């Protein structure tokens, strides 16, 4: 059976005049080793550290993880049209929040949401029909702090994702150990807070990103950056509760922060990256309960795996501090990861997005 080919986008740190977005083709041919070949390298925006592709595959959106945008405080977001083998910059807009680090396009309603890490806020933009980013229509500022004086001196929104029913947003705040809930007011272009649906985490754990169970959408897997754990959450109509918390590290390991969390394409395995231990932890997802069982950990052969992506049975790791993307075989039957001894050079890669080719 012929394996799927993918187009892979890498977002990197760097100034606007340097190529910060790279496009690769991951090709699979019968009887040959998988090949990761660079197709383009695009400049034009600074620090495109998080990328997302529209559902129809026509547009790519990027953060500009900066402190200032056109002389004003805050970072930016950028919209690109995806052309064959290249990107065309459509426009940019300011987020009014500093160091934006995550984006979520809402093409159904015509919005784009951005998580602003340093200022601890969420930006809401309108999306134009041509794929460009329209006006900033709402900005929600978080308040508070956590016990970690170095990392939780204030709110730090790190991720924005849909609720199980798609009518609201979960906004993950590392700085206040909380995931805030907002209802999406489509008619008025606003985010409406609903605190009774907020999720509260143990102090100092620092929630960062989440994914929802493929089958049971009320189950959420939250990776905590500061405590290096995965929380399995049940998102109920009346209350949210922690079902399980598991470490991503071997016993006695310290000086680590977690980063990305992703499910395999069939939802049977959950993977999370460790920066410091420089590994990917893999868990089996119980088909009935959704709870996690550790399969094992595999080294990423590079420093500081900020992100990784699963392209079927291939896992690619973006190793920020060794400036490499490394390739591994991911066994879709048992969840094990095997080093393929393959790497390519890429300056400060921190985001990977794999899109199946038709």
């Amino acid at each position: 059976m012929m394996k799927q080919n993918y187009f892979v986008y890498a977002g990197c740190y760097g100034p606007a005049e340097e190529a910060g977005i790279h496009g690769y083709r991951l090709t699979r041919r019968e009887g040959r080793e998988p090949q990761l070949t660079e197709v383009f390298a695009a400049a034009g925006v600074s620090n495109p550290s998080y990328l997302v592709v529209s559902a129809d595959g026509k547009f790519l959106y990027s953060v500009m993880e900066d402190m200032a945008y056109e002389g004003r405080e805050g970072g930016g977001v950028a919209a690109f049209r995806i052309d064959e083998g290249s990107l065309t910059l459509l426009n940019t807009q300011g987020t009014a929040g500093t160091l934006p680090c995550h984006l979520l396009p809402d093409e159904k309603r015509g919005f784009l949401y951005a998580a602003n890490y340093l200022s601890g806020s969420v930006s809401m933009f309108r999306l134009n029909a041509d794929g460009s980013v329209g006006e900033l229509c709402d900005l929600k500022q978080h308040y508070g702090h956590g016990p970690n004086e170095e990392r939780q001196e204030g709110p730090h929104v790190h991720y924005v994702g849909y609720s199980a029913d798609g009518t609201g947003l979960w906004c993950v705040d590392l700085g206040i150990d909380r995931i805030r809930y907002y209802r999406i007011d489509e008619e008025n272009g606003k985010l409406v807070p609903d605190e009774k649906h907020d999720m509260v985490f143990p102090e100092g754990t620092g929630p960062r990103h989440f994914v929802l169970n493929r089958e049971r959408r009320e189950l959420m897997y939250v990776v905590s950056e500061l405590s290096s754990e995965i929380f399995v959450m049940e998102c109920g109509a009346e209350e949210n509760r922690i079902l399980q918390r598991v470490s991503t590290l071997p016993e006695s390991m310290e000086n680590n922060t977690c980063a990305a969390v992703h499910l395999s394409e069939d939802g049977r395995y959950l993977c999370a990256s460790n920066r410091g231990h420089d590994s990917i932890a893999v868990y089996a997802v119980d088909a009935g309960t959704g709870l996690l069982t550790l399969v094992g950990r595999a080294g990423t052969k590079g420093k500081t795996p900020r992100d990784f992506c699963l392209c079927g049975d291939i896992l690619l790791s973006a190793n920020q501090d060794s400036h490499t993307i490394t390739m591994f075989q991911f066994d879709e039957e048992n969840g094990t990861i095997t080093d393929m001894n393959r790497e390519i050079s890429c300056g400060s890669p921190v985001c990977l997005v794999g899109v199946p080719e038709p």
Side-chain angles (χ1 to χ4, degrees):
M1 180 178 175
M2 193 69 177
K3 294 287 188 179
Q4 179 83 53
N5 292 332
Y6 286 78
F7 203 91
V8 179
Y9 299 90
C12 309
Y13 282 122
E17 57 270 21
E18 295 182 4
I21 303 176
H22 298 258
Y24 302 93
R25 183 161 279 117
L26 177 63
T27 53
R28 319 293 306 280
R29 292 194 177 98
E30 199 68 41
R32 295 188 184 182
E33 289 287 312
Q35 297 292 323
L36 189 64
T37 308
E38 184 166 280
V39 177
F40 69 80
V45 297
S46 55
N47 296 319
S49 63
Y50 189 85
L51 313 174
V52 63
V53 175
S54 63
D56 61 11
K58 294 180 179 179
F59 305 103
L60 181 141
Y61 298 98
S62 166
V63 300
M64 299 159 67
E65 192 175 333
D66 298 324
M67 294 293 291
Y69 174 85
E70 295 185 350
R72 305 189 303 274
E73 185 177 81
V77 295
F80 297 84
R81 185 177 66 248
I82 298 174
D83 299 312
E84 183 63 33
S86 67
L87 295 176
T88 300
L89 179 63
L90 297 177
N91 77 324
T92 65
Q93 292 280 18
T95 59
T98 50
L99 300 189
C101 63
H102 185 260
L103 285 175
L104 178 69
D106 186 350
E107 295 138 299
K108 177 183 174 183
R109 302 178 185 90
F111 298 115
L112 177 73
Y113 314 104
N116 302 307
Y117 175 79
L118 190 62
S119 56
S121 59
V122 182
S123 304
M124 181 180 186
F125 298 89
R126 295 193 184 276
L127 277 180
N128 297 323
D130 66 355
S132 62
V133 183
E135 64 173 352
L136 178 69
C137 53
D138 201 7
L139 180 71
K140 286 292 182 285
Q141 178 65 52
H142 291 189
Y143 298 94
H145 61 87
N148 186 321
E149 294 181 2
E150 183 180 349
R151 296 295 311 280
Q152 296 182 308
E153 80 294 342
H156 295 306
V157 183
H158 218 307
Y159 185 89
V160 178
Y162 291 118
S163 61
D165 62 5
T167 63
L169 292 183
W170 295 113
C171 300
V172 186
D173 197 316
L174 180 148
I176 60 175
D177 296 313
R178 186 179 290 261
I179 299 182
R180 293 208 174 277
Y181 177 82
Y182 294 96
R183 180 176 55 82
I184 302 167
D185 181 351
E186 181 178 356
E187 183 177 352
N188 297 302
K190 300 294 180 185
L191 296 175
V192 181
D194 188 351
E195 290 189 9
K196 70 177 181 293
H197 290 305
D198 286 0
M199 296 184 197
V200 180
F201 289 80
E203 288 192 351
T205 52
R208 176 183 170 101
H209 281 202
F210 75 81
V211 290
L212 298 179
N213 185 287
R214 294 265 196 262
E215 302 297 326
R216 299 179 57 190
R217 305 291 287 174
E218 74 279 7
L219 294 182
M220 175 190 284
Y221 303 102
V222 183
V223 63
S224 60
E225 176 173 338
L226 303 184
S227 66
S228 298
E229 292 176 287
I230 304 290
F231 287 86
V232 182
M233 306 290 298
E234 184 178 51
C235 311
E238 299 301 321
E239 65 173 350
N240 303 307
R241 61 194 184 105
I242 298 172
L243 298 182
Q244 186 185 23
R245 57 188 293 189
V246 295
S247 175
T248 63
L249 296 171
E251 286 187 26
S252 75
M253 173 66 194
E254 296 179 352
N255 300 319
N256 185 80
T257 55
C258 280
V261 61
H262 299 295
L263 283 163
S264 61
E265 290 183 356
D266 60 9
R268 295 173 57 209
Y269 297 99
L270 181 93
C271 304
S273 61
N274 288 306
R275 298 174 296 179
H277 192 246
D278 294 338
S279 65
I280 306 292
V282 184
Y283 305 86
V285 179
D286 186 276
T289 65
L291 299 181
L292 304 177
T293 302
L294 180 68
V295 173
R297 303 176 186 89
T300 55
K301 303 294 289 289
K303 296 179 180 178
T304 320
R306 169 78 170 261
D307 194 15
F308 62 94
C309 71
L310 285 161
C311 299
D313 65 344
I314 297 294
L315 186 148
L316 300 172
S317 175
N319 307 307
Q320 178 180 351
D321 291 335
S322 54
H323 309 288
T324 59
I325 298 172
T326 44
M327 184 184 297
F328 302 85
Q329 191 83 42
F330 177 76
D331 192 314
E332 296 175 285
E333 291 304 312
N334 60 32
T336 57
I337 296 173
T338 305
D339 179 23
M340 299 178 70
N341 198 30
R342 303 283 299 280
E343 71 173 40
I344 62 171
S345 296
C346 185
S348 300
V350 288
C351 178
L352 292 173
V353 180
V355 180
E357 291 195 331

